[in-house]
Amino acid sequence: MSRAYNQIKYLLYCLAVVIFCLFVVIVYFSFQLPDDSNLKSYKPDVMTRIHDSNGQLVKEFSREYRIFVPIENIPVSLKNAFISAEDKNFYNHIGIDPTGILRAIIRNSYYFFSDKRPEGASTITQQVAKNFLLNDELSLSRKVKEALLAIKIDATLSKSRILELYLNQIYLGYGTYGVAAASNRYFKKSLEELDLSEVSFLAALPKAPSRYNPKKNYKKSFNRRNWVLKRMYINKYITEEEYKTSIKKTIQIASNEKKPIFSSDYYLEEIRKQIIKAYDEDFLYTGGLSV
């Protein structure tokens, strides 16, 4: 009886030490967190687009190729694809996903003895924290800050706002930022024109846009796209029939060859000068004008 009591006492003591150390770490890093208040009203830099009298796109001026789309205008199928691929418990966790972290630890322990790439456990909220407020430094301190920020962001912002920030900020290859810009560059389509296989392809890109570029690695891209579709089916976002139909579709990337519209660029240069004169150069590249 005494031995069992001592063992329980020792375990409780160890648990108390762990909790205390965790508390100290949280308090220490809490004072180092960047201000996240601007996320409530954040609007990303958006390109200026020049159209001719027939509405045809002629020229784009931007530092980053991005088209901002409010969350209510993003198709449900696209949201479900990204959630299935990146963070299936997005609507239920507190910014971090303890079950996902535990699963990643177990799998990475196995991957350590194989050639497989380690698996991450970052939620969509953690990715928002990293992309907006932190850097890509690979360190334990950055991961701790990322987790604490994610919890704070989840407590202050709605899930819809967090998803809106993520889907408009994420880098998806081909120099595109956000799902609308990627949809336009990969498929020459608006978001509402995408079919299920196409939204799944976009959701396959965040982990490694270059690796899953169909023009470079079609097989990897195809398999990754189908993995997203399978996750959507498992998570009951699509039917079995939709899944079986979509996995058979090839990935058709639009050509990005630029067709000359004017014999010279003097006309567009004059427009550029007039916009800078009326506003300023920074507004030309970030203001989201439609001319």
Side-chain angles (χ1 to χ4, degrees):
M1 184 73 177
S2 176
R3 182 180 178 184
Y5 173 78
N6 288 333
Q7 288 178 334
I8 294 173
K9 185 178 179 181
Y10 177 74
L11 289 174
L12 290 175
Y13 173 77
C14 291
L15 181 62
V17 171
V18 170
I19 292 173
F20 175 76
C21 291
L22 184 61
F23 173 77
V24 171
V25 169
I26 291 173
V27 171
Y28 174 77
F29 283 106
S30 293
F31 287 102
Q32 301 181 30
L33 298 181
D35 181 19
D36 65 321
S37 60
N38 66 327
L39 293 181
K40 293 181 180 179
S41 57
Y42 175 80
K43 290 289 184 183
D45 295 343
V46 182
M47 73 183 76
T48 288
R49 313 184 87 191
I50 312 295
H51 298 81
D52 64 17
S53 59
N54 296 317
Q56 183 177 356
L57 181 64
V58 177
K59 180 73 174 179
E60 294 168 333
F61 294 102
S62 65
R63 295 196 179 103
E64 291 181 349
Y65 187 71
R66 186 196 313 276
I67 305 169
F68 183 85
V69 179
I71 191 66
E72 58 268 20
N73 294 336
I74 297 177
V76 173
S77 60
L78 191 143
K79 299 176 193 175
N80 292 340
F82 274 85
I83 288 171
S84 294
E86 294 294 308
D87 187 2
K88 70 175 184 177
N89 296 319
F90 173 71
Y91 288 111
N92 301 315
H93 60 59
I94 60 170
I96 60 173
D97 186 0
T99 58
I101 294 172
L102 181 60
R103 183 171 59 250
I105 290 174
I106 294 173
R107 289 183 179 178
N108 288 338
S109 297
Y110 168 74
Y111 292 163
F112 180 79
F113 298 99
S114 67
D115 294 330
K116 291 187 177 181
R117 187 180 181 184
E119 178 181 299
S122 291
T123 64
I124 283 175
T125 316
Q126 285 177 263
Q127 292 182 60
V128 168
K130 183 187 74 172
N131 292 338
F132 284 88
L133 303 170
L134 300 171
N135 53 42
D136 292 327
E137 176 192 359
L138 293 175
S139 67
L140 181 60
S141 63
R142 200 269 292 167
K143 291 297 294 183
V144 172
K145 292 177 185 177
E146 179 186 292
L148 294 176
L149 275 171
I151 294 172
K152 186 179 179 183
I153 291 169
D154 190 83
T156 56
L157 299 181
S158 68
K159 293 290 187 179
S160 292
R161 177 58 175 169
I162 294 170
L163 194 57
E164 179 182 69
L165 291 169
Y166 172 78
L167 292 176
N168 280 288
Q169 182 74 13
I170 189 73
Y171 180 69
L172 295 172
Y174 263 18
T176 62
Y177 292 83
V179 291
S183 174
N184 184 58
R185 182 155 287 178
Y186 281 105
F187 301 114
K188 299 295 187 216
K189 293 182 180 181
S190 60
L191 293 178
E192 58 268 19
E193 294 175 311
L194 298 177
D195 64 25
L196 187 56
S197 67
E198 290 166 339
V199 300
S200 300
F201 165 75
L202 294 183
L205 293 172
K207 283 286 187 288
S210 180
R211 180 189 303 171
Y212 298 122
N213 184 327
K215 292 188 176 182
K216 296 179 180 179
N217 302 298
Y218 184 84
K219 186 176 180 179
K220 287 184 178 180
S221 175
F222 183 82
N223 290 340
R224 177 70 178 177
R225 190 276 312 267
N226 285 356
W227 177 85
V228 174
L229 285 165
K230 186 175 182 180
R231 300 308 305 173
M232 293 184 74
Y233 172 61
I234 291 173
N235 294 331
K236 299 181 179 180
Y237 288 129
I238 60 175
T239 65
E240 183 177 2
E241 183 180 352
E242 288 175 319
Y243 168 66
K244 289 182 177 179
T245 300
S246 297
I247 60 174
K248 296 176 184 177
K249 291 187 176 182
T250 58
I251 302 173
Q252 301 287 344
I253 300 301
S255 172
N256 285 309
E257 293 180 4
K258 296 181 179 180
K259 297 180 180 179
I261 298 175
F262 300 104
S263 57
S264 72
D265 289 333
Y266 80 93
Y267 189 79
L268 294 172
E269 178 60 19
E270 185 60 30
I271 293 175
R272 188 186 74 86
K273 289 179 180 178
Q274 289 190 30
I275 294 174
I276 293 175
K277 184 178 180 181
Y279 300 96
D280 58 46
E281 186 171 2
D282 187 65
F283 198 76
L284 169 68
Y285 292 104
T286 65
L289 295 173
S290 181
V291 182

